[in-house]
Amino acid sequence: MEASSRVCPLCTKQYSKYTCPKCSIQYCSLACYKTHSDRCLDDFYQENVIAELKMQKASVEDKRKMMEILKRFQDQRIEDERECLSGGGFGDGDGGDELDIDPDAVQGMDTEELWAHLSPEQQRRFQRAVLAGHLS
């Protein structure tokens, strides 16, 4: 490549010797190329991924499977919301959401001790409520 009489716009220390094939910016060294390449490569990869996705066509079977997955996800989310709203707590399903612990004793417990006092059903409901975003 022939040297340019233009100073490298990235470091402004040397003359530009190279040109990026993607964006046509001129640069003088690998270090300068790398400083500009993050932006350039991100754009390049984004364009290629979008082009590839546009070329791919989902089959009827793939669409059906995806709709089933989305339906199951939606149904589970609705069920989780109903459980949290109807029961209001994280009990074992018999309506008794109370823990058999003195409330003052809870203040001194660490999370593992408190977790151990929950029934498996209470633990499951608590985890589902956290994942559903009902507790923040």
Side-chain angles (χ1 to χ4, degrees), residues 55-104:
M55 290 177 20
Q56 291 181 358
K57 299 291 180 194
S59 69
V60 173
E61 181 65 17
D62 290 338
K63 289 179 183 179
R64 185 188 62 76
K65 286 179 182 178
M66 180 55 74
M67 291 305 290
E68 287 175 4
I69 291 168
L70 292 172
K71 176 78 169 110
R72 281 195 312 265
F73 179 76
Q74 181 181 20
D75 291 346
Q76 184 63 49
R77 186 170 180 190
I78 290 169
E79 181 184 329
D80 291 346
E81 288 176 4
R82 283 186 185 147
E83 276 185 24
C84 287
L85 295 176
S86 67
F90 307 102
D92 54 13
D94 64 2
D97 291 340
E98 296 297 318
L99 296 175
D100 296 328
I101 307 172
D102 177 19
D104 294 328

mmCIF file of all heavy atoms in Angstrom, residues 55-104:
data_model
loop_
_atom_site.group_PDB
_atom_site.id
_atom_site.type_symbol
_atom_site.label_atom_id
_atom_site.label_comp_id
_atom_site.label_asym_id
_atom_site.label_seq_id
_atom_site.Cartn_x
_atom_site.Cartn_y
_atom_site.Cartn_z
ATOM 1 N N MET A 55 -32.847 -13.673 5.762
ATOM 2 C CA MET A 55 -32.794 -14.755 4.775
ATOM 3 C C MET A 55 -33.410 -16.038 5.308
ATOM 4 O O MET A 55 -33.880 -16.874 4.539
ATOM 5 C CB MET A 55 -31.352 -15.002 4.334
ATOM 6 C CG MET A 55 -30.808 -13.874 3.493
ATOM 7 S SD MET A 55 -29.073 -14.015 2.980
ATOM 8 C CE MET A 55 -28.645 -15.690 3.116
ATOM 9 N N GLN A 56 -33.411 -16.212 6.633
ATOM 10 C CA GLN A 56 -33.936 -17.446 7.208
ATOM 11 C C GLN A 56 -35.457 -17.390 7.248
ATOM 12 O O GLN A 56 -36.045 -16.394 7.635
ATOM 13 C CB GLN A 56 -33.410 -17.658 8.628
ATOM 14 C CG GLN A 56 -31.946 -17.960 8.688
ATOM 15 C CD GLN A 56 -31.483 -18.185 10.111
ATOM 16 O OE1 GLN A 56 -32.230 -18.088 11.058
ATOM 17 N NE2 GLN A 56 -30.201 -18.493 10.252
ATOM 18 N N LYS A 57 -36.060 -18.478 6.861
ATOM 19 C CA LYS A 57 -37.512 -18.595 6.898
ATOM 20 C C LYS A 57 -37.855 -19.751 7.836
ATOM 21 O O LYS A 57 -37.353 -20.858 7.671
ATOM 22 C CB LYS A 57 -38.083 -18.864 5.509
ATOM 23 C CG LYS A 57 -37.786 -17.770 4.498
ATOM 24 C CD LYS A 57 -38.537 -16.521 4.850
ATOM 25 C CE LYS A 57 -38.220 -15.456 3.810
ATOM 26 N NZ LYS A 57 -38.609 -14.152 4.191
ATOM 27 N N ALA A 58 -38.707 -19.484 8.790
ATOM 28 C CA ALA A 58 -39.117 -20.532 9.711
ATOM 29 C C ALA A 58 -40.178 -21.400 9.038
ATOM 30 O O ALA A 58 -41.065 -20.899 8.356
ATOM 31 C CB ALA A 58 -39.684 -19.918 10.984
ATOM 32 N N SER A 59 -40.055 -22.694 9.271
ATOM 33 C CA SER A 59 -41.046 -23.622 8.725
ATOM 34 C C SER A 59 -42.331 -23.510 9.541
ATOM 35 O O SER A 59 -42.356 -22.954 10.635
ATOM 36 C CB SER A 59 -40.517 -25.052 8.775
ATOM 37 O OG SER A 59 -40.442 -25.492 10.121
ATOM 38 N N VAL A 60 -43.395 -24.068 9.011
ATOM 39 C CA VAL A 60 -44.674 -24.071 9.713
ATOM 40 C C VAL A 60 -44.521 -24.803 11.042
ATOM 41 O O VAL A 60 -45.050 -24.365 12.072
ATOM 42 C CB VAL A 60 -45.777 -24.717 8.830
ATOM 43 C CG1 VAL A 60 -47.063 -24.882 9.597
ATOM 44 C CG2 VAL A 60 -45.992 -23.898 7.577
ATOM 45 N N GLU A 61 -43.773 -25.899 11.042
ATOM 46 C CA GLU A 61 -43.546 -26.667 12.263
ATOM 47 C C GLU A 61 -42.768 -25.840 13.294
ATOM 48 O O GLU A 61 -43.099 -25.858 14.482
ATOM 49 C CB GLU A 61 -42.796 -27.964 11.944
ATOM 50 C CG GLU A 61 -42.527 -28.837 13.142
ATOM 51 C CD GLU A 61 -43.778 -29.401 13.791
ATOM 52 O OE1 GLU A 61 -44.862 -29.396 13.171
ATOM 53 O OE2 GLU A 61 -43.680 -29.843 14.954
ATOM 54 N N ASP A 62 -41.748 -25.104 12.860
ATOM 55 C CA ASP A 62 -40.979 -24.252 13.765
ATOM 56 C C ASP A 62 -41.869 -23.170 14.372
ATOM 57 O O ASP A 62 -41.785 -22.875 15.566
ATOM 58 C CB ASP A 62 -39.806 -23.596 13.035
ATOM 59 C CG ASP A 62 -38.715 -24.575 12.653
ATOM 60 O OD1 ASP A 62 -38.634 -25.647 13.286
ATOM 61 O OD2 ASP A 62 -37.945 -24.264 11.723
ATOM 62 N N LYS A 63 -42.718 -22.590 13.562
ATOM 63 C CA LYS A 63 -43.635 -21.555 14.055
ATOM 64 C C LYS A 63 -44.608 -22.139 15.070
ATOM 65 O O LYS A 63 -44.888 -21.526 16.105
ATOM 66 C CB LYS A 63 -44.399 -20.924 12.898
ATOM 67 C CG LYS A 63 -43.540 -20.043 12.020
ATOM 68 C CD LYS A 63 -44.349 -19.476 10.870
ATOM 69 C CE LYS A 63 -43.479 -18.654 9.942
ATOM 70 N NZ LYS A 63 -44.228 -18.110 8.810
ATOM 71 N N ARG A 64 -45.101 -23.341 14.803
ATOM 72 C CA ARG A 64 -46.036 -23.992 15.715
ATOM 73 C C ARG A 64 -45.361 -24.272 17.058
ATOM 74 O O ARG A 64 -45.917 -24.002 18.119
ATOM 75 C CB ARG A 64 -46.555 -25.298 15.111
ATOM 76 C CG ARG A 64 -47.627 -25.980 15.961
ATOM 77 C CD ARG A 64 -47.986 -27.363 15.442
ATOM 78 N NE ARG A 64 -46.861 -28.293 15.468
ATOM 79 C CZ ARG A 64 -46.389 -28.877 16.579
ATOM 80 N NH1 ARG A 64 -46.928 -28.623 17.748
ATOM 81 N NH2 ARG A 64 -45.367 -29.716 16.519
ATOM 82 N N LYS A 65 -44.121 -24.782 17.013
ATOM 83 C CA LYS A 65 -43.382 -25.068 18.241
ATOM 84 C C LYS A 65 -43.149 -23.795 19.049
ATOM 85 O O LYS A 65 -43.285 -23.789 20.270
ATOM 86 C CB LYS A 65 -42.046 -25.738 17.925
ATOM 87 C CG LYS A 65 -42.173 -27.176 17.493
ATOM 88 C CD LYS A 65 -40.807 -27.760 17.174
ATOM 89 C CE LYS A 65 -40.896 -29.185 16.681
ATOM 90 N NZ LYS A 65 -39.572 -29.725 16.318
ATOM 91 N N MET A 66 -42.774 -22.737 18.366
ATOM 92 C CA MET A 66 -42.526 -21.472 19.060
ATOM 93 C C MET A 66 -43.813 -20.951 19.697
ATOM 94 O O MET A 66 -43.806 -20.470 20.836
ATOM 95 C CB MET A 66 -41.955 -20.424 18.095
ATOM 96 C CG MET A 66 -41.670 -19.095 18.759
ATOM 97 S SD MET A 66 -40.578 -19.184 20.201
ATOM 98 C CE MET A 66 -39.023 -19.468 19.424
ATOM 99 N N MET A 67 -44.924 -21.071 19.014
ATOM 100 C CA MET A 67 -46.198 -20.625 19.566
ATOM 101 C C MET A 67 -46.568 -21.455 20.797
ATOM 102 O O MET A 67 -47.086 -20.913 21.776
ATOM 103 C CB MET A 67 -47.308 -20.699 18.514
ATOM 104 C CG MET A 67 -47.157 -19.676 17.398
ATOM 105 S SD MET A 67 -47.017 -17.975 17.997
ATOM 106 C CE MET A 67 -48.670 -17.708 18.584
ATOM 107 N N GLU A 68 -46.283 -22.757 20.782
ATOM 108 C CA GLU A 68 -46.545 -23.604 21.951
ATOM 109 C C GLU A 68 -45.687 -23.175 23.136
ATOM 110 O O GLU A 68 -46.176 -23.108 24.268
ATOM 111 C CB GLU A 68 -46.277 -25.074 21.618
ATOM 112 C CG GLU A 68 -47.319 -25.704 20.729
ATOM 113 C CD GLU A 68 -46.959 -27.133 20.330
ATOM 114 O OE1 GLU A 68 -45.931 -27.661 20.803
ATOM 115 O OE2 GLU A 68 -47.718 -27.708 19.531
ATOM 116 N N ILE A 69 -44.437 -22.891 22.883
ATOM 117 C CA ILE A 69 -43.535 -22.441 23.949
ATOM 118 C C ILE A 69 -44.029 -21.129 24.537
ATOM 119 O O ILE A 69 -44.098 -20.960 25.759
ATOM 120 C CB ILE A 69 -42.089 -22.298 23.421
ATOM 121 C CG1 ILE A 69 -41.504 -23.671 23.094
ATOM 122 C CG2 ILE A 69 -41.207 -21.552 24.422
ATOM 123 C CD1 ILE A 69 -40.202 -23.620 22.310
ATOM 124 N N LEU A 70 -44.376 -20.193 23.683
ATOM 125 C CA LEU A 70 -44.862 -18.900 24.155
ATOM 126 C C LEU A 70 -46.169 -19.039 24.927
ATOM 127 O O LEU A 70 -46.385 -18.364 25.934
ATOM 128 C CB LEU A 70 -45.026 -17.935 22.985
ATOM 129 C CG LEU A 70 -43.730 -17.488 22.316
ATOM 130 C CD1 LEU A 70 -44.028 -16.700 21.055
ATOM 131 C CD2 LEU A 70 -42.870 -16.679 23.274
ATOM 132 N N LYS A 71 -47.031 -19.918 24.475
ATOM 133 C CA LYS A 71 -48.313 -20.147 25.164
ATOM 134 C C LYS A 71 -48.063 -20.733 26.551
ATOM 135 O O LYS A 71 -48.671 -20.290 27.534
ATOM 136 C CB LYS A 71 -49.184 -21.096 24.322
ATOM 137 C CG LYS A 71 -50.491 -21.476 24.966
ATOM 138 C CD LYS A 71 -51.496 -20.363 24.837
ATOM 139 C CE LYS A 71 -52.878 -20.846 25.239
ATOM 140 N NZ LYS A 71 -53.334 -20.279 26.462
ATOM 141 N N ARG A 72 -47.164 -21.733 26.653
ATOM 142 C CA ARG A 72 -46.849 -22.314 27.960
ATOM 143 C C ARG A 72 -46.255 -21.257 28.893
ATOM 144 O O ARG A 72 -46.588 -21.195 30.077
ATOM 145 C CB ARG A 72 -45.864 -23.471 27.814
ATOM 146 C CG ARG A 72 -46.498 -24.756 27.359
ATOM 147 C CD ARG A 72 -45.584 -25.964 27.578
ATOM 148 N NE ARG A 72 -44.235 -25.798 27.115
ATOM 149 C CZ ARG A 72 -43.781 -26.197 25.917
ATOM 150 N NH1 ARG A 72 -44.581 -26.775 25.060
ATOM 151 N NH2 ARG A 72 -42.520 -26.016 25.598
ATOM 152 N N PHE A 73 -45.380 -20.421 28.352
ATOM 153 C CA PHE A 73 -44.766 -19.361 29.143
ATOM 154 C C PHE A 73 -45.833 -18.398 29.655
ATOM 155 O O PHE A 73 -45.853 -18.033 30.825
ATOM 156 C CB PHE A 73 -43.722 -18.617 28.299
ATOM 157 C CG PHE A 73 -43.060 -17.485 29.017
ATOM 158 C CD1 PHE A 73 -42.078 -17.724 29.972
ATOM 159 C CD2 PHE A 73 -43.406 -16.179 28.744
ATOM 160 C CE1 PHE A 73 -41.462 -16.691 30.636
ATOM 161 C CE2 PHE A 73 -42.806 -15.137 29.402
ATOM 162 C CZ PHE A 73 -41.826 -15.386 30.349
ATOM 163 N N GLN A 74 -46.740 -18.005 28.774
ATOM 164 C CA GLN A 74 -47.807 -17.082 29.155
ATOM 165 C C GLN A 74 -48.728 -17.728 30.205
ATOM 166 O O GLN A 74 -49.082 -17.090 31.196
ATOM 167 C CB GLN A 74 -48.622 -16.671 27.934
ATOM 168 C CG GLN A 74 -49.738 -15.695 28.263
ATOM 169 C CD GLN A 74 -50.551 -15.328 27.038
ATOM 170 O OE1 GLN A 74 -50.547 -16.034 26.044
ATOM 171 N NE2 GLN A 74 -51.249 -14.214 27.112
ATOM 172 N N ASP A 75 -49.098 -18.979 30.005
ATOM 173 C CA ASP A 75 -49.961 -19.669 30.961
ATOM 174 C C ASP A 75 -49.297 -19.765 32.332
ATOM 175 O O ASP A 75 -49.951 -19.572 33.360
ATOM 176 C CB ASP A 75 -50.327 -21.069 30.455
ATOM 177 C CG ASP A 75 -51.253 -21.041 29.248
ATOM 178 O OD1 ASP A 75 -51.830 -19.972 28.956
ATOM 179 O OD2 ASP A 75 -51.381 -22.092 28.585
ATOM 180 N N GLN A 76 -48.008 -20.075 32.358
ATOM 181 C CA GLN A 76 -47.283 -20.183 33.629
ATOM 182 C C GLN A 76 -47.232 -18.834 34.325
ATOM 183 O O GLN A 76 -47.405 -18.750 35.540
ATOM 184 C CB GLN A 76 -45.866 -20.715 33.395
ATOM 185 C CG GLN A 76 -45.088 -20.954 34.675
ATOM 186 C CD GLN A 76 -45.719 -22.019 35.550
ATOM 187 O OE1 GLN A 76 -46.046 -23.085 35.074
ATOM 188 N NE2 GLN A 76 -45.907 -21.725 36.815
ATOM 189 N N ARG A 77 -47.019 -17.789 33.567
ATOM 190 C CA ARG A 77 -46.953 -16.455 34.151
ATOM 191 C C ARG A 77 -48.303 -16.057 34.743
ATOM 192 O O ARG A 77 -48.374 -15.515 35.842
ATOM 193 C CB ARG A 77 -46.512 -15.452 33.091
ATOM 194 C CG ARG A 77 -46.284 -14.081 33.636
ATOM 195 C CD ARG A 77 -45.641 -13.195 32.629
ATOM 196 N NE ARG A 77 -45.456 -11.882 33.214
ATOM 197 C CZ ARG A 77 -45.097 -10.843 32.550
ATOM 198 N NH1 ARG A 77 -44.858 -10.928 31.268
ATOM 199 N NH2 ARG A 77 -44.956 -9.681 33.137
ATOM 200 N N ILE A 78 -49.373 -16.359 34.027
ATOM 201 C CA ILE A 78 -50.712 -16.059 34.533
ATOM 202 C C ILE A 78 -50.983 -16.854 35.806
ATOM 203 O O ILE A 78 -51.508 -16.319 36.783
ATOM 204 C CB ILE A 78 -51.781 -16.346 33.444
ATOM 205 C CG1 ILE A 78 -51.660 -15.311 32.328
ATOM 206 C CG2 ILE A 78 -53.183 -16.348 34.039
ATOM 207 C CD1 ILE A 78 -52.476 -15.639 31.088
ATOM 208 N N GLU A 79 -50.602 -18.123 35.808
ATOM 209 C CA GLU A 79 -50.788 -18.964 37.002
ATOM 210 C C GLU A 79 -49.999 -18.413 38.182
ATOM 211 O O GLU A 79 -50.516 -18.347 39.305
ATOM 212 C CB GLU A 79 -50.339 -20.390 36.702
ATOM 213 C CG GLU A 79 -50.522 -21.340 37.860
ATOM 214 C CD GLU A 79 -49.983 -22.726 37.558
ATOM 215 O OE1 GLU A 79 -50.011 -23.149 36.386
ATOM 216 O OE2 GLU A 79 -49.511 -23.376 38.504
ATOM 217 N N ASP A 80 -48.759 -17.998 37.936
ATOM 218 C CA ASP A 80 -47.943 -17.434 39.007
ATOM 219 C C ASP A 80 -48.585 -16.170 39.583
ATOM 220 O O ASP A 80 -48.618 -15.973 40.798
ATOM 221 C CB ASP A 80 -46.540 -17.102 38.502
ATOM 222 C CG ASP A 80 -45.712 -18.339 38.184
ATOM 223 O OD1 ASP A 80 -46.116 -19.448 38.602
ATOM 224 O OD2 ASP A 80 -44.671 -18.187 37.514
ATOM 225 N N GLU A 81 -49.085 -15.311 38.709
ATOM 226 C CA GLU A 81 -49.715 -14.076 39.170
ATOM 227 C C GLU A 81 -50.969 -14.381 39.982
ATOM 228 O O GLU A 81 -51.209 -13.767 41.019
ATOM 229 C CB GLU A 81 -50.054 -13.187 37.976
ATOM 230 C CG GLU A 81 -48.837 -12.559 37.339
ATOM 231 C CD GLU A 81 -49.158 -11.743 36.094
ATOM 232 O OE1 GLU A 81 -50.355 -11.599 35.745
ATOM 233 O OE2 GLU A 81 -48.210 -11.256 35.466
ATOM 234 N N ARG A 82 -51.759 -15.339 39.533
ATOM 235 C CA ARG A 82 -52.974 -15.710 40.267
ATOM 236 C C ARG A 82 -52.631 -16.261 41.649
ATOM 237 O O ARG A 82 -53.290 -15.943 42.627
ATOM 238 C CB ARG A 82 -53.777 -16.740 39.483
ATOM 239 C CG ARG A 82 -54.536 -16.139 38.344
ATOM 240 C CD ARG A 82 -55.421 -17.176 37.685
ATOM 241 N NE ARG A 82 -56.062 -16.587 36.514
ATOM 242 C CZ ARG A 82 -56.352 -17.241 35.421
ATOM 243 N NH1 ARG A 82 -56.090 -18.527 35.315
ATOM 244 N NH2 ARG A 82 -56.939 -16.644 34.411
ATOM 245 N N GLU A 83 -51.611 -17.105 41.719
ATOM 246 C CA GLU A 83 -51.202 -17.663 43.009
ATOM 247 C C GLU A 83 -50.790 -16.566 43.973
ATOM 248 O O GLU A 83 -51.178 -16.576 45.132
ATOM 249 C CB GLU A 83 -50.037 -18.638 42.832
ATOM 250 C CG GLU A 83 -50.446 -20.023 42.450
ATOM 251 C CD GLU A 83 -49.254 -20.975 42.410
ATOM 252 O OE1 GLU A 83 -48.238 -20.707 43.083
ATOM 253 O OE2 GLU A 83 -49.353 -21.974 41.699
ATOM 254 N N CYS A 84 -49.999 -15.640 43.469
ATOM 255 C CA CYS A 84 -49.516 -14.571 44.340
ATOM 256 C C CYS A 84 -50.646 -13.644 44.768
ATOM 257 O O CYS A 84 -50.702 -13.208 45.907
ATOM 258 C CB CYS A 84 -48.421 -13.771 43.646
ATOM 259 S SG CYS A 84 -46.879 -14.673 43.534
ATOM 260 N N LEU A 85 -51.559 -13.342 43.855
ATOM 261 C CA LEU A 85 -52.638 -12.422 44.170
ATOM 262 C C LEU A 85 -53.735 -13.079 44.993
ATOM 263 O O LEU A 85 -54.309 -12.459 45.874
ATOM 264 C CB LEU A 85 -53.229 -11.844 42.880
ATOM 265 C CG LEU A 85 -52.291 -10.959 42.070
ATOM 266 C CD1 LEU A 85 -52.949 -10.528 40.775
ATOM 267 C CD2 LEU A 85 -51.853 -9.746 42.871
ATOM 268 N N SER A 86 -54.036 -14.331 44.728
ATOM 269 C CA SER A 86 -55.134 -14.979 45.446
ATOM 270 C C SER A 86 -54.750 -15.343 46.867
ATOM 271 O O SER A 86 -55.491 -15.100 47.803
ATOM 272 C CB SER A 86 -55.617 -16.224 44.701
ATOM 273 O OG SER A 86 -54.617 -17.214 44.711
ATOM 274 N N GLY A 87 -53.595 -15.965 47.038
ATOM 275 C CA GLY A 87 -53.174 -16.388 48.369
ATOM 276 C C GLY A 87 -52.522 -15.276 49.146
ATOM 277 O O GLY A 87 -52.588 -15.233 50.361
ATOM 278 N N GLY A 88 -51.895 -14.414 48.465
ATOM 279 C CA GLY A 88 -51.214 -13.299 49.099
ATOM 280 C C GLY A 88 -49.928 -13.693 49.805
ATOM 281 O O GLY A 88 -49.140 -12.855 50.161
ATOM 282 N N GLY A 89 -49.697 -14.976 50.007
ATOM 283 C CA GLY A 89 -48.509 -15.402 50.729
ATOM 284 C C GLY A 89 -47.798 -16.500 49.985
ATOM 285 O O GLY A 89 -48.017 -16.721 48.810
ATOM 286 N N PHE A 90 -46.975 -17.221 50.704
ATOM 287 C CA PHE A 90 -46.167 -18.269 50.100
ATOM 288 C C PHE A 90 -46.342 -19.561 50.870
ATOM 289 O O PHE A 90 -45.420 -20.295 51.108
ATOM 290 C CB PHE A 90 -44.696 -17.850 50.070
ATOM 291 C CG PHE A 90 -44.519 -16.530 49.421
ATOM 292 C CD1 PHE A 90 -44.323 -15.400 50.172
ATOM 293 C CD2 PHE A 90 -44.624 -16.414 48.050
ATOM 294 C CE1 PHE A 90 -44.193 -14.176 49.557
ATOM 295 C CE2 PHE A 90 -44.497 -15.192 47.449
ATOM 296 C CZ PHE A 90 -44.283 -14.075 48.200
ATOM 297 N N GLY A 91 -47.533 -19.845 51.272
ATOM 298 C CA GLY A 91 -47.798 -20.984 52.142
ATOM 299 C C GLY A 91 -47.762 -22.305 51.414
ATOM 300 O O GLY A 91 -47.425 -22.406 50.253
ATOM 301 N N ASP A 92 -48.201 -23.347 52.123
ATOM 302 C CA ASP A 92 -48.146 -24.701 51.591
ATOM 303 C C ASP A 92 -49.435 -25.094 50.878
ATOM 304 O O ASP A 92 -49.673 -26.252 50.618
ATOM 305 C CB ASP A 92 -47.802 -25.694 52.699
ATOM 306 C CG ASP A 92 -48.741 -25.578 53.886
ATOM 307 O OD1 ASP A 92 -49.788 -24.918 53.752
ATOM 308 O OD2 ASP A 92 -48.417 -26.157 54.938
ATOM 309 N N GLY A 93 -50.266 -24.128 50.565
ATOM 310 C CA GLY A 93 -51.451 -24.398 49.780
ATOM 311 C C GLY A 93 -52.687 -24.662 50.608
ATOM 312 O O GLY A 93 -53.780 -24.734 50.089
ATOM 313 N N ASP A 94 -52.581 -24.787 51.936
ATOM 314 C CA ASP A 94 -53.747 -25.067 52.753
ATOM 315 C C ASP A 94 -54.334 -23.804 53.363
ATOM 316 O O ASP A 94 -55.202 -23.868 54.219
ATOM 317 C CB ASP A 94 -53.400 -26.083 53.853
ATOM 318 C CG ASP A 94 -52.367 -25.553 54.835
ATOM 319 O OD1 ASP A 94 -51.939 -24.399 54.689
ATOM 320 O OD2 ASP A 94 -52.001 -26.312 55.753
ATOM 321 N N GLY A 95 -53.846 -22.655 52.901
ATOM 322 C CA GLY A 95 -54.352 -21.396 53.410
ATOM 323 C C GLY A 95 -53.585 -20.917 54.629
ATOM 324 O O GLY A 95 -53.742 -19.787 55.047
ATOM 325 N N GLY A 96 -52.793 -21.752 55.230
ATOM 326 C CA GLY A 96 -52.023 -21.372 56.408
ATOM 327 C C GLY A 96 -50.638 -20.922 56.006
ATOM 328 O O GLY A 96 -49.731 -21.731 55.922
ATOM 329 N N ASP A 97 -50.497 -19.655 55.741
ATOM 330 C CA ASP A 97 -49.217 -19.120 55.289
ATOM 331 C C ASP A 97 -48.331 -18.709 56.448
ATOM 332 O O ASP A 97 -47.240 -18.215 56.243
ATOM 333 C CB ASP A 97 -49.442 -17.908 54.376
ATOM 334 C CG ASP A 97 -50.059 -18.309 53.054
ATOM 335 O OD1 ASP A 97 -49.963 -19.494 52.700
ATOM 336 O OD2 ASP A 97 -50.640 -17.440 52.392
ATOM 337 N N GLU A 98 -48.795 -18.881 57.655
ATOM 338 C CA GLU A 98 -48.029 -18.450 58.814
ATOM 339 C C GLU A 98 -46.847 -19.382 59.055
ATOM 340 O O GLU A 98 -46.948 -20.589 58.911
ATOM 341 C CB GLU A 98 -48.924 -18.420 60.049
ATOM 342 C CG GLU A 98 -50.049 -17.417 59.959
ATOM 343 C CD GLU A 98 -49.550 -15.988 59.868
ATOM 344 O OE1 GLU A 98 -48.591 -15.637 60.590
ATOM 345 O OE2 GLU A 98 -50.113 -15.225 59.081
ATOM 346 N N LEU A 99 -45.765 -18.801 59.455
ATOM 347 C CA LEU A 99 -44.602 -19.580 59.856
ATOM 348 C C LEU A 99 -44.710 -19.862 61.341
ATOM 349 O O LEU A 99 -45.211 -19.049 62.107
ATOM 350 C CB LEU A 99 -43.311 -18.796 59.582
ATOM 351 C CG LEU A 99 -42.993 -18.488 58.141
ATOM 352 C CD1 LEU A 99 -41.749 -17.615 58.059
ATOM 353 C CD2 LEU A 99 -42.809 -19.739 57.339
ATOM 354 N N ASP A 100 -44.237 -21.024 61.743
ATOM 355 C CA ASP A 100 -44.253 -21.376 63.152
ATOM 356 C C ASP A 100 -42.991 -20.858 63.828
ATOM 357 O O ASP A 100 -42.210 -21.611 64.397
ATOM 358 C CB ASP A 100 -44.355 -22.902 63.315
ATOM 359 C CG ASP A 100 -45.661 -23.431 62.771
ATOM 360 O OD1 ASP A 100 -46.674 -22.695 62.841
ATOM 361 O OD2 ASP A 100 -45.676 -24.558 62.260
ATOM 362 N N ILE A 101 -42.792 -19.539 63.743
ATOM 363 C CA ILE A 101 -41.605 -18.899 64.298
ATOM 364 C C ILE A 101 -42.055 -17.641 65.017
ATOM 365 O O ILE A 101 -42.933 -16.927 64.550
ATOM 366 C CB ILE A 101 -40.601 -18.491 63.196
ATOM 367 C CG1 ILE A 101 -40.260 -19.647 62.286
ATOM 368 C CG2 ILE A 101 -39.350 -17.894 63.790
ATOM 369 C CD1 ILE A 101 -39.439 -19.238 61.085
ATOM 370 N N ASP A 102 -41.424 -17.363 66.126
ATOM 371 C CA ASP A 102 -41.679 -16.117 66.838
ATOM 372 C C ASP A 102 -41.156 -14.962 65.970
ATOM 373 O O ASP A 102 -39.999 -14.971 65.554
ATOM 374 C CB ASP A 102 -40.941 -16.156 68.186
ATOM 375 C CG ASP A 102 -41.095 -14.865 68.970
ATOM 376 O OD1 ASP A 102 -42.027 -14.090 68.684
ATOM 377 O OD2 ASP A 102 -40.260 -14.642 69.873
ATOM 378 N N PRO A 103 -42.009 -13.963 65.667
ATOM 379 C CA PRO A 103 -41.567 -12.842 64.807
ATOM 380 C C PRO A 103 -40.307 -12.149 65.325
ATOM 381 O O PRO A 103 -39.490 -11.678 64.545
ATOM 382 C CB PRO A 103 -42.762 -11.889 64.818
ATOM 383 C CG PRO A 103 -43.933 -12.748 65.155
ATOM 384 C CD PRO A 103 -43.405 -13.840 66.038
ATOM 385 N N ASP A 104 -40.139 -12.102 66.647
ATOM 386 C CA ASP A 104 -38.925 -11.470 67.187
ATOM 387 C C ASP A 104 -37.681 -12.302 66.886
ATOM 388 O O ASP A 104 -36.598 -11.773 66.676
ATOM 389 C CB ASP A 104 -39.058 -11.276 68.704
ATOM 390 C CG ASP A 104 -40.143 -10.267 69.045
ATOM 391 O OD1 ASP A 104 -40.344 -9.322 68.244
ATOM 392 O OD2 ASP A 104 -40.798 -10.433 70.092
#
